[in-house]
Amino acid sequence: MYLVVCFIVVTFCYTSTISATVEVLRPRGVALSKKLFYNPDQDFRCIDGSNSIPFQFVNDDYCDCEDGSDEPGTPACSNALFHCINSGHISSDIPSSRVNDNICDCCDGSDEFNSTADCINICIELGRQAKEEQLKQRELFEQGFALWQQYSAQGKQLKENNKLQVENLKSVEVEEERIKVDKEAVKNNAEEKEKAALDVYKTAKDEQMKKHEEEEMLKDQEKEKKKAEEAFNELDINQDKVLTYQEIQEFQKFDSDKDGIVSEQEAKFFLHMKEFMLLEEFVSIGWMIMKPVFESDKEPITEPPLKEESEKETDEPDINEAETAEENDDEPEEESFESYDEDEALLNDDADKPPVFPPKEEVEESKPQEPVYDEETQQLVDAANEARRLHKEAVDKVEKTREEIRRLQADIEADFGKNEEFAVLKGQCFDFEDRYYTYRFCPFDKASQIDKSGGSDVSLGKWGSWIGPEENKYSKMKYENGQMCWNGPTRSVTVLLQCGLENKLLSSSEPNRCEYLFEFSTPSLCSLQLNMPNMHQHEEL
Ligand code: MAN
């Protein structure tokens, strides 16, 4: 129970606050904490030491002290403060200029002791409401704190689990590394055998190619011989197996100077200036010099390639198809085959790919049939492929384990609060929607802005650091290096955290262009030491 008693003694007004047990007398407008400066038995010394006056001059509505301390209960000093006792509610100080200004400033009405304002003391009611509010807050913080404790326990457990997992994974990594080394040895061994077998294959192929070329050359020579013999027979008019220059003179095509007569000289020229030639000599040296002139009146001058192809590949079932394939190919056949780099294929270490050889049909069309792998070689190639596959599998496994260890280590070393109370927020995302955007906040990861009318998400930043003040470090987060702002900085977000019973993104704003501000409520910030309101802070005895 609170009572306000005012004693008027000549120019002094004393205020006493009486609760059930306490009564404190002091001049009007003086805060309890300053009562000791006001002793009615002594002269009053200004609190700043600027003057000393008889005690009767305190609150005499005349300013004697520079700091205004002699007039706490009147508006005489412009810099003085009037203390509202406000028994039952919160004491407060108001500028003393507001004393007796006909406006009720103190809830107990004590600032209008000499005015026409009819102030009613509403402190008890306000105090009751404030206490109710305090109780609600207290309840909130108690519930919040219970959740905070759960979060903290979960966070600590997570950290322990992560540490255990890292330990386990490290043993797994050792074992996987061992398997990897084994598989590598198996692979190397298989590849050695494969290479040896493929070297044999390559040698066989080279030999076959060489043989084919030799055969082709022989065929050409044969053809030329045949042509020479046919020419000889045609020119040997009397068929006596001796080709004389006179016989050559019978053929107008040998009239080199086009004077209408094949002269002796002109005819002998084709016989190397001899009188005659026998077949053998003609085939070996005569035909060479005569051929261009002899064939000049034949059509076509050179044999058409198609004829040659069809002659060569008489056993080819679909000549037209082969021709079409050749027409479509800009490169000469020989070159297209050469462009296939077998060495590269043989040395190819890519585990997934067996050595690449030209498709069988292609080989058949362009060249004599390639030697196909014999069963033993094929088995070695297959074994090497399988060894490469298993080795790659082992490499991938150990890499995956290492990646997992790195991820867990990062979580173990991360700052999730003094009591790990923020750890549970990692891996969750929270949305806030305004008219145009959905803002997404994923603690310890990223923040983004999603345009409701479509388009891709805009990164507002990636997790940076805690930036709260020293005494409340975990009240603010920074997310930085988001998408570049047009003609400006990269986007960033400051997140203000507050204690709340649920994790919720409460608001988003953009105080400066591309600098965003989120408000986020979470039980993670409901630690009692920080938040519990003091139930007695308003009471002045
Ligand atoms: C987009 C949004 C806004 C931002 C402007 C800057 O419209 O990301 O938040 O202010 O770009 O150009």
Side-chain angles (χ1 to χ4, degrees):
M1 172 190 169
Y2 297 90
L3 286 174
V4 178
V5 181
C6 196
F7 299 95
I8 309 287
V9 184
V10 198
T11 56
F12 296 87
C13 178
Y14 283 86
T15 304
S16 80
T17 305
I18 304 170
S19 72
T21 52
V22 184
E23 178 180 319
V24 183
L25 287 175
R26 50 190 142 141
R28 189 193 306 277
V30 172
L32 195 57
S33 58
K34 291 190 180 149
K35 183 199 169 283
L36 61 117
F37 295 110
Y38 300 86
N39 183 349
D41 300 334
Q42 294 171 4
D43 281 352
F44 175 72
R45 204 172 157 69
C46 305
I47 295 177
D48 66 356
S50 60
N51 201 0
S52 190
I53 54 172
F55 194 75
Q56 305 92 285
F57 291 4
V58 172
N59 279 344
D60 67 347
D61 212 8
Y62 182 83
C63 196
D64 296 294
C65 299
E66 280 177 21
D67 64 356
S69 57
D70 62 314
E71 295 299 320
T74 79
C77 299
S78 61
N79 55 346
L81 286 176
F82 179 86
H83 182 75
C84 314
I85 291 175
N86 292 346
S87 293
H89 192 39
I90 306 162
S91 304
S92 63
D93 290 330
I94 58 168
S96 62
S97 56
R98 294 189 191 167
V99 171
N100 292 330
D101 65 349
N102 291 326
I103 298 170
C104 307
D105 293 295
C106 307
C107 68
D108 60 5
S110 58
D111 57 317
E112 297 301 318
F113 61 89
N114 192 15
S115 82
T116 53
D118 199 8
C119 299
I120 302 165
N121 186 338
I122 53 169
C123 290
I124 301 289
E125 178 54 20
L126 289 185
R128 193 190 58 72
Q129 288 175 7
K131 282 207 175 79
E132 226 170 69
E133 186 53 32
Q134 265 186 345
L135 274 172
K136 269 197 211 149
Q137 284 294 315
R138 197 187 169 92
E139 240 167 66
L140 169 80
F141 282 117
E142 274 170 4
Q143 289 172 20
F145 182 61
L147 288 171
W148 179 92
Q149 284 174 308
Q150 281 178 26
Y151 278 24
S152 169
Q154 282 177 33
K156 285 175 181 164
Q157 190 59 55
L158 267 175
K159 194 168 211 165
E160 282 316 304
N161 290 350
N162 286 347
K163 282 181 183 167
L164 269 177
Q165 238 181 306
V166 166
E167 284 318 303
N168 289 341
L169 285 175
K170 278 187 174 164
S171 332
V172 171
E173 184 195 358
V174 169
E175 178 58 12
E176 285 176 349
E177 180 63 33
R178 194 190 59 71
I179 293 173
K180 187 186 100 179
V181 171
D182 281 0
K183 299 285 176 204
E184 189 169 6
V186 172
K187 177 181 85 96
N188 290 344
N189 188 280
E191 282 180 340
E192 236 171 71
K193 288 182 185 156
E194 178 196 48
K195 186 173 182 313
L198 291 178
D199 281 349
V200 171
Y201 155 75
K202 188 175 182 295
T203 311
K205 194 203 82 169
D206 288 349
E207 271 168 17
Q208 197 168 354
M209 290 267 291
K210 205 171 144 207
K211 202 172 144 212
H212 170 73
E213 276 162 19
E214 282 167 6
E215 279 169 7
E216 285 301 301
M217 214 169 75
L218 276 177
K219 267 192 213 165
D220 288 349
Q221 282 170 1
E222 268 311 305
K223 269 187 217 159
E224 278 311 306
K225 192 174 168 218
K226 213 170 144 213
K227 278 188 204 166
E229 284 168 0
E230 278 167 12
F232 188 92
N233 285 336
E234 192 179 323
L235 298 173
D236 180 19
I237 298 170
N238 59 8
Q239 297 291 296
D240 63 351
K241 308 287 182 209
V242 180
L243 180 59
T244 61
Y245 73 89
Q246 291 91 342
E247 283 169 321
I248 289 175
Q249 279 182 302
E250 296 302 313
F251 295 88
Q252 276 306 307
K253 56 184 156 194
F254 301 117
D255 176 15
S256 306
D257 60 7
K258 304 285 179 217
D259 64 352
I261 300 162
V262 181
S263 68
E264 189 180 320
Q265 282 293 333
E266 284 171 330
K268 281 185 178 171
F269 169 78
F270 296 103
L271 297 178
H272 288 241
M273 304 317 285
K274 292 182 176 178
E275 301 276 316
F276 63 88
M277 254 187 199
L278 299 184
L279 178 64
E280 198 179 338
E281 191 181 8
F282 179 78
V283 167
S284 61
I285 59 172
W287 173 239
M288 225 183 321
I289 191 162
M290 181 185 280
K291 182 181 172 180
V293 180
F294 182 81
E295 288 182 340
S296 61
D297 59 351
K298 305 256 189 254
E299 277 301 327
I301 295 169
T302 51
E303 281 187 65
L306 276 184
K307 192 175 163 232
E308 197 166 326
E309 276 306 316
S310 56
E311 267 176 25
K312 247 200 282 183
E313 296 173 9
T314 41
D315 52 351
E316 185 64 45
D318 191 348
I319 288 168
N320 288 338
E321 212 175 281
E323 281 168 6
T324 316
E326 278 167 26
E327 275 161 22
N328 289 342
D329 195 346
D330 287 339
E331 298 293 324
E333 195 176 85
E334 184 73 15
E335 232 174 276
S336 80
F337 186 79
E338 289 304 324
S339 69
Y340 157 65
D341 187 345
E342 193 186 56
D343 283 346
E344 198 181 300
L346 287 174
L347 296 174
N348 186 355
D349 199 29
D350 192 328
D352 278 336
K353 295 180 193 154
V356 182
F357 292 92
K360 213 173 155 198
E361 313 87 75
E362 213 177 277
V363 177
E364 278 170 359
E365 271 177 24
S366 57
K367 287 283 154 188
Q369 200 153 14
E370 291 288 311
V372 288
Y373 296 148
D374 57 282
E375 200 179 323
E376 202 183 330
T377 307
Q378 188 60 51
Q379 270 172 12
L380 291 172
V381 170
D382 291 347
N385 284 341
E386 180 64 0
R388 278 187 284 267
R389 192 185 67 74
L390 291 174
H391 174 245
K392 184 173 186 300
E393 204 174 86
V395 169
D396 289 351
K397 244 186 183 174
V398 79
E399 265 317 306
K400 205 170 149 205
T401 303
R402 283 190 186 136
E403 181 51 42
E404 181 65 0
I405 292 173
R406 277 194 288 274
R407 193 188 66 74
L408 290 167
Q409 288 282 23
D411 273 4
I412 291 168
E413 282 152 29
D415 185 355
F416 289 132
K418 279 200 188 95
N419 295 280
E420 307 297 328
E421 62 270 42
F422 291 95
V424 291
L425 296 179
K426 191 171 176 195
Q428 300 192 57
C429 291
F430 306 93
D431 286 359
F432 173 80
E433 296 200 5
D434 72 7
R435 208 161 144 205
Y436 303 108
Y437 300 107
T438 298
Y439 289 90
R440 183 156 296 158
F441 171 48
C442 308
F444 304 105
D445 185 9
K446 62 181 181 186
S448 41
Q449 183 188 50
I450 301 149
D451 196 329
K452 284 182 169 173
S453 59
S456 54
D457 298 6
V458 172
S459 162
L460 301 185
K462 290 170 268 303
W463 165 235
S465 57
W466 295 105
I467 54 160
E470 210 179 313
E471 71 284 359
N472 199 3
K473 175 181 166 191
Y474 299 102
S475 61
K476 259 191 204 179
M477 290 170 152
K478 189 80 184 173
Y479 290 77
E480 49 211 1
N481 293 323
Q483 200 164 308
M484 184 71 79
C485 191
W486 190 77
N487 243 349
T490 53
R491 287 172 171 78
S492 63
V493 186
T494 298
V495 183
L496 301 181
L497 293 103
Q498 65 185 58
C499 164
L501 294 184
E502 58 174 339
N503 293 311
K504 191 169 182 190
L505 187 54
L506 301 172
S507 73
S508 166
S509 55
E510 194 179 345
N512 296 308
R513 205 163 69 93
C514 295
E515 287 176 19
Y516 302 82
L517 187 70
F518 287 1
E519 286 181 305
F520 183 67
S521 83
T522 173
S524 301
L525 209 73
C526 296
S527 99
L528 263 195
Q529 303 91 305
L530 276 176
N531 298 298
M532 184 59 86
N534 179 354
M535 293 298 282
H536 302 293
Q537 70 185 358
H538 305 314
E539 293 180 15
E540 183 181 284
L541 296 175

